Amino acid sequence: MSKFSKKKPPASYEVIQPTLAILDNELRDCVNKSHEGLRKGESIWPVHQINWQRTRYVYDMYYIHQMITRECYDHCVRNKLVDAGLIAKWKKPGYESLCSTFAINSKNYKFGTVSICRVPKSELREENQEIQDPNTGCLGCASGKGGHYNIFGNKYGQRLAAIQVARDKKREQMAKEDAEKELLQEDNKGDSETDDDDDDESDDDCGPQAAPVKPTDGKKRGGVWASGDAELKESDKYVEGDYADEQAEQGGDEEERAKKKKKTI
């Protein structure tokens, strides 16, 4: 939330506030970091990428996962915590994963064109399949099959909302399993009691030692980003839309994907 805002944020804002704070700190660190040795324009990649990730996070939390209220979403837009212009483009066909409004502004590119990252992969020459926008670092954000699920190829291209939902589901499952274990231990404790329990009162006070319960508070996590491929794969279950299908296809057999590509051509 903006430090100049005096109005109290909506109740559901507490769901997204920790992640937004981490992204703000990440952006600040990237801006203050030395840019020595970077290519021209590469120093501002984190600005575009974190702006995309922060906006996508809030967008997904409201439109896909319904984890925040409309009031909270509007609060983020009003206080410019998200890029409203980018969201407006995402709602249009063909722009569902646009990396930045900078990439489609013809004034920013020669000959009045747009960024090469907006060209569908199927329309690129075979020798030019690997492209990257020099201003945003985007690997390709055009919609349709063959596009990139992670458009930046790094942690800033991860879907943080899906990761958060997956972690919440996992913690709920772990808490449920722990509760079942405790009930089972209580049952075993009752079955193992004998008539000589009153021989030593101190033994009654101690009772059988319960097995240690695994922590379920989520403290041992890899920040807001996925800590590994396994967690990314788990979060993919909660990503909706064309890019969820694309991710599943990218995880399939290379030979099968080659066949599908020939059919589309």
Side-chain angles (χ1 to χ4, degrees):
M1 184 178 65
S2 173
K3 61 182 179 181
F4 302 108
S5 177
K6 296 181 180 179
K7 187 177 179 180
K8 186 178 180 181
S12 61
Y13 181 74
E14 63 186 21
V15 177
I16 60 175
Q17 191 275 333
T19 297
L20 294 180
I22 289 175
L23 291 177
D24 283 342
N25 292 333
E26 181 77 9
L27 178 59
R28 189 178 300 108
D29 292 343
C30 290
V31 171
N32 294 332
K33 188 168 56 175
S34 174
H35 301 150
E36 185 179 355
L38 298 179
R39 293 175 290 175
K40 182 180 179 181
E42 192 173 348
S43 60
I44 63 171
W45 284 7
V47 177
H48 289 288
Q49 295 177 5
I50 294 176
N51 176 67
W52 179 92
Q53 189 169 58
R54 179 176 52 206
T55 303
R56 174 60 68 177
Y57 170 68
V58 175
Y59 180 88
D60 287 351
M61 289 294 278
Y62 176 66
Y63 283 103
I64 294 181
H65 305 294
Q66 291 84 46
M67 296 284 288
I68 60 176
T69 63
R70 179 73 194 194
E71 185 182 5
C72 180
Y73 173 79
D74 290 340
H75 171 83
C76 293
V77 173
R78 282 195 307 269
N79 289 277
K80 298 183 179 180
L81 300 179
V82 296
D83 190 334
L86 189 56
I87 289 178
K89 290 298 181 183
W90 285 344
K91 295 178 180 180
K92 296 181 179 181
Y95 294 88
E96 292 85 355
S97 194
L98 176 67
C99 63
S100 172
T101 53
F102 185 95
I104 57 174
N105 189 339
S106 58
K107 294 181 180 179
N108 298 325
Y109 297 90
K110 296 180 180 179
F111 313 113
T113 59
V114 296
S115 171
I116 192 172
C117 68
R118 293 299 305 152
V119 180
K121 200 168 185 179
S122 59
E123 296 184 15
L124 292 171
R125 294 180 180 178
E126 189 174 348
E127 63 271 18
N128 294 329
Q129 288 292 305
E130 300 299 327
I131 54 94
Q132 189 170 40
D133 180 83
N135 300 296
T136 66
C138 178
L139 303 174
C141 57
S143 300
K145 299 296 181 181
H148 284 274
Y149 173 72
N150 185 326
I151 63 174
F152 300 121
N154 56 26
K155 67 179 183 179
Y156 301 134
Q158 295 179 8
R159 301 294 183 91
L160 299 186
I163 293 171
Q164 181 171 330
V165 170
R167 286 172 174 172
D168 289 343
K169 296 289 185 182
K170 185 175 181 179
R171 286 198 295 273
E172 289 176 5
Q173 181 62 28
M174 291 177 64
K176 182 179 179 181
E177 291 176 357
D178 291 339
E180 292 175 351
K181 288 180 181 178
E182 289 181 1
L183 287 175
L184 183 60
Q185 289 170 0
E186 289 292 332
D187 292 341
N188 293 337
K189 176 183 176 181
D191 294 339
S192 61
E193 289 179 347
T194 58
D195 293 334
D196 60 346
D197 287 341
D198 56 349
D199 292 343
D200 190 350
E201 188 175 350
S202 61
D203 291 338
D204 286 340
D205 294 336
C206 296
Q209 294 295 321
V213 179
K214 297 179 181 179
T216 58
D217 55 6
K219 290 184 178 179
K220 294 185 177 181
R221 297 188 293 176
V224 296
W225 298 279
S227 57
D229 292 338
E231 190 172 24
L232 268 179
K233 187 176 181 181
E234 182 65 23
S235 68
D236 289 339
K237 300 176 183 178
Y238 304 97
V239 177
E240 297 183 7
D242 293 338
Y243 281 84
D245 298 333
E246 181 64 23
Q247 175 69 356
E249 183 178 323
Q250 289 181 7
D253 185 78
E254 289 288 343
E255 188 175 347
E256 286 297 323
R257 286 187 306 205
K259 290 179 181 179
K260 291 181 181 179
K261 185 176 180 181
K262 289 181 179 179
K263 290 181 181 180
T264 56
I265 298 173

